[in-house]
mmCIF file of all heavy atoms in Angstrom:
data_model
loop_
_atom_site.group_PDB
_atom_site.id
_atom_site.type_symbol
_atom_site.label_atom_id
_atom_site.label_comp_id
_atom_site.label_asym_id
_atom_site.label_seq_id
_atom_site.Cartn_x
_atom_site.Cartn_y
_atom_site.Cartn_z
ATOM 1 N N HIS A 24 37.531 5.740 35.439
ATOM 2 C CA HIS A 24 36.540 6.715 35.939
ATOM 3 C C HIS A 24 37.062 8.136 35.735
ATOM 4 O O HIS A 24 38.208 8.388 35.397
ATOM 5 C CB HIS A 24 36.140 6.456 37.345
ATOM 6 C CG HIS A 24 37.281 6.663 38.334
ATOM 7 N ND1 HIS A 24 37.756 7.856 38.695
ATOM 8 C CD2 HIS A 24 38.017 5.743 39.065
ATOM 9 C CE1 HIS A 24 38.696 7.707 39.596
ATOM 10 N NE2 HIS A 24 38.901 6.397 39.816
ATOM 11 N N GLY A 25 36.185 9.109 36.066
ATOM 12 C CA GLY A 25 36.502 10.502 35.878
ATOM 13 C C GLY A 25 37.216 11.189 37.007
ATOM 14 O O GLY A 25 37.569 10.573 38.018
ATOM 15 N N TYR A 26 37.337 12.467 36.854
ATOM 16 C CA TYR A 26 38.102 13.350 37.733
ATOM 17 C C TYR A 26 37.431 13.345 39.149
ATOM 18 O O TYR A 26 36.252 13.626 39.341
ATOM 19 C CB TYR A 26 38.071 14.760 37.212
ATOM 20 C CG TYR A 26 38.687 15.835 38.064
ATOM 21 C CD1 TYR A 26 40.057 15.947 38.219
ATOM 22 C CD2 TYR A 26 37.869 16.762 38.671
ATOM 23 C CE1 TYR A 26 40.594 16.946 39.012
ATOM 24 C CE2 TYR A 26 38.423 17.783 39.457
ATOM 25 C CZ TYR A 26 39.774 17.851 39.609
ATOM 26 O OH TYR A 26 40.333 18.853 40.407
ATOM 27 N N ARG A 27 38.248 12.978 40.155
ATOM 28 C CA ARG A 27 37.796 12.956 41.588
ATOM 29 C C ARG A 27 36.489 12.197 41.739
ATOM 30 O O ARG A 27 35.625 12.608 42.516
ATOM 31 C CB ARG A 27 37.716 14.379 42.074
ATOM 32 C CG ARG A 27 39.104 14.906 42.506
ATOM 33 C CD ARG A 27 39.041 16.257 43.187
ATOM 34 N NE ARG A 27 40.393 16.686 43.472
ATOM 35 C CZ ARG A 27 40.755 17.991 43.578
ATOM 36 N NH1 ARG A 27 39.869 18.926 43.420
ATOM 37 N NH2 ARG A 27 41.992 18.290 43.879
ATOM 38 N N SER A 28 36.337 11.163 40.955
ATOM 39 C CA SER A 28 35.110 10.352 41.019
ATOM 40 C C SER A 28 35.488 8.926 41.363
ATOM 41 O O SER A 28 36.642 8.721 41.968
ATOM 42 C CB SER A 28 34.365 10.393 39.714
ATOM 43 O OG SER A 28 33.106 9.760 39.851
ATOM 44 N N SER A 29 34.706 7.982 41.089
ATOM 45 C CA SER A 29 35.023 6.586 41.248
ATOM 46 C C SER A 29 34.213 5.758 40.280
ATOM 47 O O SER A 29 33.222 6.249 39.690
ATOM 48 C CB SER A 29 34.681 6.133 42.702
ATOM 49 O OG SER A 29 33.256 6.045 42.852
ATOM 50 N N TRP A 30 34.636 4.517 40.072
ATOM 51 C CA TRP A 30 33.879 3.721 39.096
ATOM 52 C C TRP A 30 32.452 3.405 39.650
ATOM 53 O O TRP A 30 31.567 3.186 38.896
ATOM 54 C CB TRP A 30 34.610 2.416 38.784
ATOM 55 C CG TRP A 30 34.838 1.473 39.944
ATOM 56 C CD1 TRP A 30 36.029 1.306 40.691
ATOM 57 C CD2 TRP A 30 33.981 0.492 40.430
ATOM 58 N NE1 TRP A 30 35.839 0.339 41.621
ATOM 59 C CE2 TRP A 30 34.586 -0.144 41.496
ATOM 60 C CE3 TRP A 30 32.614 0.110 40.100
ATOM 61 C CZ2 TRP A 30 33.970 -1.194 42.187
ATOM 62 C CZ3 TRP A 30 32.010 -0.893 40.839
ATOM 63 C CH2 TRP A 30 32.679 -1.542 41.874
ATOM 64 N N HIS A 31 32.312 3.406 40.985
ATOM 65 C CA HIS A 31 30.997 3.155 41.573
ATOM 66 C C HIS A 31 29.968 4.144 41.090
ATOM 67 O O HIS A 31 28.866 3.833 40.806
ATOM 68 C CB HIS A 31 31.069 3.201 43.116
ATOM 69 C CG HIS A 31 32.051 2.312 43.741
ATOM 70 N ND1 HIS A 31 33.425 2.632 43.785
ATOM 71 C CD2 HIS A 31 31.925 1.117 44.296
ATOM 72 C CE1 HIS A 31 34.043 1.621 44.380
ATOM 73 N NE2 HIS A 31 33.193 0.718 44.740
ATOM 74 N N VAL A 32 30.404 5.417 41.005
ATOM 75 C CA VAL A 32 29.532 6.469 40.553
ATOM 76 C C VAL A 32 29.422 6.540 39.029
ATOM 77 O O VAL A 32 28.297 6.594 38.457
ATOM 78 C CB VAL A 32 30.016 7.842 41.099
ATOM 79 C CG1 VAL A 32 29.147 8.982 40.492
ATOM 80 C CG2 VAL A 32 29.883 7.900 42.603
ATOM 81 N N ASP A 33 30.563 6.466 38.359
ATOM 82 C CA ASP A 33 30.583 6.683 36.909
ATOM 83 C C ASP A 33 30.036 5.481 36.102
ATOM 84 O O ASP A 33 29.484 5.654 35.009
ATOM 85 C CB ASP A 33 31.989 6.980 36.418
ATOM 86 C CG ASP A 33 32.415 8.334 36.883
ATOM 87 O OD1 ASP A 33 31.643 9.044 37.547
ATOM 88 O OD2 ASP A 33 33.579 8.738 36.612
ATOM 89 N N PHE A 34 30.142 4.236 36.626
ATOM 90 C CA PHE A 34 29.804 3.104 35.839
ATOM 91 C C PHE A 34 28.769 2.199 36.493
ATOM 92 O O PHE A 34 28.383 1.187 35.896
ATOM 93 C CB PHE A 34 31.091 2.248 35.529
ATOM 94 C CG PHE A 34 32.128 3.002 34.716
ATOM 95 C CD1 PHE A 34 33.391 3.163 35.255
ATOM 96 C CD2 PHE A 34 31.837 3.602 33.551
ATOM 97 C CE1 PHE A 34 34.376 3.849 34.563
ATOM 98 C CE2 PHE A 34 32.828 4.271 32.831
ATOM 99 C CZ PHE A 34 34.075 4.434 33.336
ATOM 100 N N SER A 35 28.345 2.516 37.675
ATOM 101 C CA SER A 35 27.402 1.607 38.357
ATOM 102 C C SER A 35 26.160 1.237 37.525
ATOM 103 O O SER A 35 25.785 0.102 37.483
ATOM 104 C CB SER A 35 26.900 2.222 39.692
ATOM 105 O OG SER A 35 27.889 2.109 40.709
ATOM 106 N N ILE A 36 25.606 2.265 36.830
ATOM 107 C CA ILE A 36 24.401 2.006 36.062
ATOM 108 C C ILE A 36 24.690 1.134 34.835
ATOM 109 O O ILE A 36 23.888 0.278 34.446
ATOM 110 C CB ILE A 36 23.740 3.318 35.629
ATOM 111 C CG1 ILE A 36 23.115 4.014 36.861
ATOM 112 C CG2 ILE A 36 22.684 3.093 34.586
ATOM 113 C CD1 ILE A 36 22.520 5.314 36.586
ATOM 114 N N SER A 37 25.841 1.265 34.234
ATOM 115 C CA SER A 37 26.166 0.541 33.003
ATOM 116 C C SER A 37 26.836 -0.815 33.223
ATOM 117 O O SER A 37 26.871 -1.594 32.299
ATOM 118 C CB SER A 37 27.056 1.408 32.093
ATOM 119 O OG SER A 37 28.278 1.780 32.794
ATOM 120 N N ILE A 38 27.321 -1.082 34.436
ATOM 121 C CA ILE A 38 28.026 -2.358 34.658
ATOM 122 C C ILE A 38 27.183 -3.510 34.324
ATOM 123 O O ILE A 38 27.647 -4.457 33.610
ATOM 124 C CB ILE A 38 28.572 -2.385 36.102
ATOM 125 C CG1 ILE A 38 29.805 -1.535 36.265
ATOM 126 C CG2 ILE A 38 28.914 -3.808 36.515
ATOM 127 C CD1 ILE A 38 30.295 -1.360 37.672
ATOM 128 N N PRO A 39 25.936 -3.627 34.789
ATOM 129 C CA PRO A 39 25.140 -4.831 34.478
ATOM 130 C C PRO A 39 24.969 -4.995 32.949
ATOM 131 O O PRO A 39 25.019 -6.131 32.470
ATOM 132 C CB PRO A 39 23.793 -4.542 35.128
ATOM 133 C CG PRO A 39 24.134 -3.628 36.283
ATOM 134 C CD PRO A 39 25.270 -2.767 35.736
ATOM 135 N N PHE A 40 24.879 -3.919 32.205
ATOM 136 C CA PHE A 40 24.762 -3.984 30.729
ATOM 137 C C PHE A 40 26.037 -4.589 30.133
ATOM 138 O O PHE A 40 25.967 -5.539 29.320
ATOM 139 C CB PHE A 40 24.464 -2.646 30.182
ATOM 140 C CG PHE A 40 24.737 -2.579 28.684
ATOM 141 C CD1 PHE A 40 23.907 -3.136 27.732
ATOM 142 C CD2 PHE A 40 25.884 -1.880 28.218
ATOM 143 C CE1 PHE A 40 24.163 -3.108 26.383
ATOM 144 C CE2 PHE A 40 26.130 -1.827 26.861
ATOM 145 C CZ PHE A 40 25.279 -2.406 25.930
ATOM 146 N N TYR A 41 27.180 -4.051 30.535
ATOM 147 C CA TYR A 41 28.494 -4.526 29.982
ATOM 148 C C TYR A 41 28.644 -6.006 30.329
ATOM 149 O O TYR A 41 29.082 -6.766 29.487
ATOM 150 C CB TYR A 41 29.611 -3.689 30.545
ATOM 151 C CG TYR A 41 29.744 -2.359 29.950
ATOM 152 C CD1 TYR A 41 29.735 -1.198 30.782
ATOM 153 C CD2 TYR A 41 29.913 -2.151 28.610
ATOM 154 C CE1 TYR A 41 29.873 0.082 30.236
ATOM 155 C CE2 TYR A 41 30.056 -0.864 28.061
ATOM 156 C CZ TYR A 41 30.010 0.242 28.883
ATOM 157 O OH TYR A 41 30.158 1.517 28.363
ATOM 158 N N HIS A 42 28.369 -6.368 31.543
ATOM 159 C CA HIS A 42 28.569 -7.764 31.972
ATOM 160 C C HIS A 42 27.645 -8.695 31.186
ATOM 161 O O HIS A 42 28.092 -9.822 30.823
ATOM 162 C CB HIS A 42 28.327 -7.841 33.516
ATOM 163 C CG HIS A 42 28.901 -9.092 34.090
ATOM 164 N ND1 HIS A 42 28.122 -10.218 34.320
ATOM 165 C CD2 HIS A 42 30.125 -9.428 34.541
ATOM 166 C CE1 HIS A 42 28.848 -11.207 34.861
ATOM 167 N NE2 HIS A 42 30.117 -10.720 34.994
ATOM 168 N N ALA A 43 26.416 -8.222 30.975
ATOM 169 C CA ALA A 43 25.482 -9.036 30.186
ATOM 170 C C ALA A 43 25.917 -9.204 28.732
ATOM 171 O O ALA A 43 25.428 -10.219 28.101
ATOM 172 C CB ALA A 43 24.096 -8.404 30.259
ATOM 173 N N GLN A 44 26.789 -8.353 28.251
ATOM 174 C CA GLN A 44 27.276 -8.507 26.855
ATOM 175 C C GLN A 44 28.377 -9.617 26.787
ATOM 176 O O GLN A 44 28.853 -9.901 25.711
ATOM 177 C CB GLN A 44 27.888 -7.235 26.322
ATOM 178 C CG GLN A 44 26.872 -6.120 26.300
ATOM 179 C CD GLN A 44 25.591 -6.443 25.571
ATOM 180 O OE1 GLN A 44 25.665 -6.816 24.439
ATOM 181 N NE2 GLN A 44 24.475 -6.268 26.276
ATOM 182 N N GLY A 45 28.741 -10.196 27.978
ATOM 183 C CA GLY A 45 29.717 -11.280 27.977
ATOM 184 C C GLY A 45 31.136 -10.803 28.171
ATOM 185 O O GLY A 45 32.077 -11.441 27.681
ATOM 186 N N PHE A 46 31.382 -9.717 28.883
ATOM 187 C CA PHE A 46 32.716 -9.204 29.097
ATOM 188 C C PHE A 46 33.111 -9.201 30.561
ATOM 189 O O PHE A 46 32.232 -8.872 31.414
ATOM 190 C CB PHE A 46 32.803 -7.745 28.552
ATOM 191 C CG PHE A 46 32.799 -7.650 27.088
ATOM 192 C CD1 PHE A 46 31.642 -7.568 26.346
ATOM 193 C CD2 PHE A 46 34.002 -7.684 26.355
ATOM 194 C CE1 PHE A 46 31.658 -7.485 24.969
ATOM 195 C CE2 PHE A 46 34.045 -7.626 24.959
ATOM 196 C CZ PHE A 46 32.825 -7.499 24.279
ATOM 197 N N ASN A 47 34.336 -9.548 30.796
ATOM 198 C CA ASN A 47 34.905 -9.240 32.124
ATOM 199 C C ASN A 47 35.044 -7.723 32.265
ATOM 200 O O ASN A 47 35.167 -7.031 31.252
ATOM 201 C CB ASN A 47 36.328 -9.795 32.260
ATOM 202 C CG ASN A 47 36.376 -11.313 32.083
ATOM 203 O OD1 ASN A 47 35.524 -12.055 32.540
ATOM 204 N ND2 ASN A 47 37.432 -11.756 31.373
ATOM 205 N N LEU A 48 35.107 -7.235 33.487
ATOM 206 C CA LEU A 48 35.255 -5.812 33.747
ATOM 207 C C LEU A 48 36.432 -5.588 34.683
ATOM 208 O O LEU A 48 36.495 -6.158 35.761
ATOM 209 C CB LEU A 48 34.009 -5.188 34.333
ATOM 210 C CG LEU A 48 32.697 -5.432 33.583
ATOM 211 C CD1 LEU A 48 31.499 -4.881 34.423
ATOM 212 C CD2 LEU A 48 32.763 -4.808 32.195
ATOM 213 N N LEU A 49 37.387 -4.760 34.246
ATOM 214 C CA LEU A 49 38.503 -4.371 35.131
ATOM 215 C C LEU A 49 38.250 -2.874 35.449
ATOM 216 O O LEU A 49 38.501 -2.018 34.593
ATOM 217 C CB LEU A 49 39.830 -4.593 34.471
ATOM 218 C CG LEU A 49 40.998 -4.203 35.397
ATOM 219 C CD1 LEU A 49 41.081 -5.108 36.608
ATOM 220 C CD2 LEU A 49 42.322 -4.213 34.636
ATOM 221 N N LEU A 50 37.732 -2.567 36.611
ATOM 222 C CA LEU A 50 37.320 -1.239 37.032
ATOM 223 C C LEU A 50 38.460 -0.660 37.882
ATOM 224 O O LEU A 50 38.613 -1.003 39.039
ATOM 225 C CB LEU A 50 36.029 -1.306 37.772
ATOM 226 C CG LEU A 50 34.855 -1.874 36.957
ATOM 227 C CD1 LEU A 50 33.807 -2.458 37.833
ATOM 228 C CD2 LEU A 50 34.255 -0.772 36.088
ATOM 229 N N ILE A 51 39.211 0.217 37.294
ATOM 230 C CA ILE A 51 40.458 0.693 37.986
ATOM 231 C C ILE A 51 40.120 1.926 38.875
ATOM 232 O O ILE A 51 39.200 2.739 38.583
ATOM 233 C CB ILE A 51 41.571 1.055 36.959
ATOM 234 C CG1 ILE A 51 41.185 2.295 36.141
ATOM 235 C CG2 ILE A 51 41.879 -0.127 36.067
ATOM 236 C CD1 ILE A 51 42.366 2.712 35.246
ATOM 237 N N ASP A 52 40.888 2.021 39.944
ATOM 238 C CA ASP A 52 40.862 3.221 40.756
ATOM 239 C C ASP A 52 42.043 4.086 40.168
ATOM 240 O O ASP A 52 43.202 3.668 40.257
ATOM 241 C CB ASP A 52 41.187 2.949 42.239
ATOM 242 C CG ASP A 52 40.063 2.208 42.885
ATOM 243 O OD1 ASP A 52 38.938 2.240 42.387
ATOM 244 O OD2 ASP A 52 40.326 1.608 43.995
ATOM 245 N N GLN A 53 41.682 5.235 39.612
ATOM 246 C CA GLN A 53 42.690 6.133 39.070
ATOM 247 C C GLN A 53 43.696 6.539 40.214
ATOM 248 O O GLN A 53 43.258 6.622 41.371
ATOM 249 C CB GLN A 53 42.133 7.342 38.440
ATOM 250 C CG GLN A 53 41.237 7.071 37.236
ATOM 251 C CD GLN A 53 41.937 7.259 35.916
ATOM 252 O OE1 GLN A 53 43.077 6.827 35.756
ATOM 253 N NE2 GLN A 53 41.306 7.896 35.009
ATOM 254 N N ARG A 54 44.925 6.843 39.828
ATOM 255 C CA ARG A 54 45.889 7.265 40.883
ATOM 256 C C ARG A 54 45.351 8.483 41.656
ATOM 257 O O ARG A 54 44.598 9.310 41.119
ATOM 258 C CB ARG A 54 47.252 7.596 40.238
ATOM 259 C CG ARG A 54 47.204 8.729 39.228
ATOM 260 C CD ARG A 54 48.556 9.202 38.760
ATOM 261 N NE ARG A 54 49.353 8.044 38.349
ATOM 262 C CZ ARG A 54 50.688 7.945 38.501
ATOM 263 N NH1 ARG A 54 51.360 8.949 39.115
ATOM 264 N NH2 ARG A 54 51.358 6.918 38.038
ATOM 265 N N ALA A 55 45.666 8.489 42.967
ATOM 266 C CA ALA A 55 45.195 9.557 43.857
ATOM 267 C C ALA A 55 43.679 9.505 44.058
ATOM 268 O O ALA A 55 43.085 10.457 44.455
ATOM 269 C CB ALA A 55 45.641 10.924 43.367
ATOM 270 N N CYS A 56 43.089 8.330 43.779
ATOM 271 C CA CYS A 56 41.619 8.120 44.011
ATOM 272 C C CYS A 56 41.393 6.776 44.669
ATOM 273 O O CYS A 56 42.176 5.814 44.360
ATOM 274 C CB CYS A 56 40.859 8.211 42.694
ATOM 275 S SG CYS A 56 40.855 9.780 41.856
ATOM 276 N N GLU A 57 40.402 6.695 45.563
ATOM 277 C CA GLU A 57 40.027 5.440 46.178
ATOM 278 C C GLU A 57 41.247 4.713 46.792
ATOM 279 O O GLU A 57 41.990 5.309 47.541
ATOM 280 C CB GLU A 57 39.322 4.542 45.145
ATOM 281 C CG GLU A 57 37.965 5.103 44.708
ATOM 282 C CD GLU A 57 36.934 5.145 45.722
ATOM 283 O OE1 GLU A 57 36.838 4.197 46.530
ATOM 284 O OE2 GLU A 57 36.187 6.123 45.830
ATOM 285 N N GLN A 58 41.441 3.454 46.455
ATOM 286 C CA GLN A 58 42.527 2.664 47.055
ATOM 287 C C GLN A 58 43.886 2.779 46.339
ATOM 288 O O GLN A 58 44.846 2.193 46.814
ATOM 289 C CB GLN A 58 42.093 1.226 47.146
ATOM 290 C CG GLN A 58 40.850 0.976 48.004
ATOM 291 C CD GLN A 58 40.555 -0.534 48.117
ATOM 292 O OE1 GLN A 58 41.294 -1.310 48.667
ATOM 293 N NE2 GLN A 58 39.405 -0.918 47.578
ATOM 294 N N SER A 59 43.947 3.458 45.238
ATOM 295 C CA SER A 59 45.203 3.689 44.559
ATOM 296 C C SER A 59 46.013 4.771 45.186
ATOM 297 O O SER A 59 45.456 5.807 45.624
ATOM 298 C CB SER A 59 44.987 4.006 43.080
ATOM 299 O OG SER A 59 44.513 2.831 42.386
ATOM 300 N N GLU A 60 47.326 4.582 45.231
ATOM 301 C CA GLU A 60 48.206 5.610 45.892
ATOM 302 C C GLU A 60 48.421 6.810 44.935
ATOM 303 O O GLU A 60 48.046 6.748 43.770
ATOM 304 C CB GLU A 60 49.568 4.990 46.186
ATOM 305 C CG GLU A 60 49.506 3.964 47.263
ATOM 306 C CD GLU A 60 50.847 3.391 47.628
ATOM 307 O OE1 GLU A 60 51.808 3.542 46.790
ATOM 308 O OE2 GLU A 60 50.973 2.770 48.714
ATOM 309 N N GLY A 61 48.975 7.864 45.515
ATOM 310 C CA GLY A 61 49.281 9.072 44.786
ATOM 311 C C GLY A 61 48.740 10.290 45.433
ATOM 312 O O GLY A 61 47.620 10.251 46.026
ATOM 313 N N LYS A 62 49.472 11.337 45.420
ATOM 314 C CA LYS A 62 49.024 12.603 46.042
ATOM 315 C C LYS A 62 48.399 13.566 44.999
ATOM 316 O O LYS A 62 47.659 14.433 45.390
ATOM 317 C CB LYS A 62 50.258 13.345 46.681
ATOM 318 C CG LYS A 62 50.829 12.633 47.899
ATOM 319 C CD LYS A 62 51.971 13.444 48.517
ATOM 320 C CE LYS A 62 52.533 12.762 49.698
ATOM 321 N NZ LYS A 62 53.658 13.534 50.292
ATOM 322 N N PHE A 63 48.758 13.338 43.746
ATOM 323 C CA PHE A 63 48.310 14.292 42.739
ATOM 324 C C PHE A 63 47.578 13.569 41.553
ATOM 325 O O PHE A 63 48.065 12.557 41.047
ATOM 326 C CB PHE A 63 49.531 15.071 42.155
ATOM 327 C CG PHE A 63 50.162 15.943 43.203
ATOM 328 C CD1 PHE A 63 51.356 15.479 43.817
ATOM 329 C CD2 PHE A 63 49.701 17.191 43.507
ATOM 330 C CE1 PHE A 63 52.003 16.304 44.738
ATOM 331 C CE2 PHE A 63 50.321 18.000 44.481
ATOM 332 C CZ PHE A 63 51.482 17.552 45.076
ATOM 333 N N ILE A 64 46.480 14.225 41.104
ATOM 334 C CA ILE A 64 45.852 13.852 39.893
ATOM 335 C C ILE A 64 46.599 14.573 38.743
ATOM 336 O O ILE A 64 46.944 15.732 38.899
ATOM 337 C CB ILE A 64 44.372 14.299 39.894
ATOM 338 C CG1 ILE A 64 43.622 13.479 41.001
ATOM 339 C CG2 ILE A 64 43.707 14.114 38.543
ATOM 340 C CD1 ILE A 64 42.230 14.038 41.310
ATOM 341 N N THR A 65 46.819 13.895 37.644
ATOM 342 C CA THR A 65 47.622 14.529 36.544
ATOM 343 C C THR A 65 46.781 14.660 35.238
ATOM 344 O O THR A 65 47.380 14.768 34.169
ATOM 345 C CB THR A 65 48.889 13.787 36.304
ATOM 346 O OG1 THR A 65 48.623 12.455 35.704
ATOM 347 C CG2 THR A 65 49.738 13.588 37.614
ATOM 348 N N PHE A 66 45.467 14.571 35.316
ATOM 349 C CA PHE A 66 44.561 14.840 34.198
ATOM 350 C C PHE A 66 44.816 13.983 33.007
ATOM 351 O O PHE A 66 44.710 14.354 31.844
ATOM 352 C CB PHE A 66 44.663 16.293 33.820
ATOM 353 C CG PHE A 66 44.078 17.249 34.813
ATOM 354 C CD1 PHE A 66 44.765 17.623 35.946
ATOM 355 C CD2 PHE A 66 42.772 17.677 34.700
ATOM 356 C CE1 PHE A 66 44.207 18.439 36.915
ATOM 357 C CE2 PHE A 66 42.167 18.473 35.650
ATOM 358 C CZ PHE A 66 42.934 18.880 36.768
ATOM 359 N N GLY A 67 45.272 12.728 33.221
ATOM 360 C CA GLY A 67 45.495 11.773 32.182
ATOM 361 C C GLY A 67 46.939 11.605 31.729
ATOM 362 O O GLY A 67 47.291 10.587 31.095
ATOM 363 N N VAL A 68 47.769 12.552 32.117
ATOM 364 C CA VAL A 68 49.202 12.503 31.641
ATOM 365 C C VAL A 68 49.913 11.291 32.216
ATOM 366 O O VAL A 68 50.579 10.545 31.431
ATOM 367 C CB VAL A 68 49.934 13.816 32.021
ATOM 368 C CG1 VAL A 68 51.388 13.753 31.639
ATOM 369 C CG2 VAL A 68 49.313 14.996 31.337
#
């Protein structure tokens, strides 16, 4: 997902489509977001 967001917001609308294509989904919490640890977002680094 994106900056200071969550997969619930960024992918909620598309998840049913992806799942219907026959794929498992691993929806990660980026570091310093949601349930993942970390104090700092590092912009992908």
Side-chain angles (χ1 to χ4, degrees):
H24 64 74
Y26 175 74
R27 283 185 178 153
S28 187
S29 72
W30 64 261
H31 304 80
V32 173
D33 289 359
F34 301 122
S35 282
I36 290 178
S37 58
I38 284 173
F40 163 73
Y41 285 123
H42 196 263
Q44 301 307 304
F46 287 89
N47 303 319
L48 306 175
L49 183 65
L50 300 154
I51 68 174
D52 292 341
Q53 296 263 44
R54 62 171 53 215
C56 296
E57 294 292 319
Q58 297 185 65
S59 289
E60 291 182 344
K62 292 182 179 179
F63 297 99
I64 295 168
T65 70
F66 291 82
V68 174

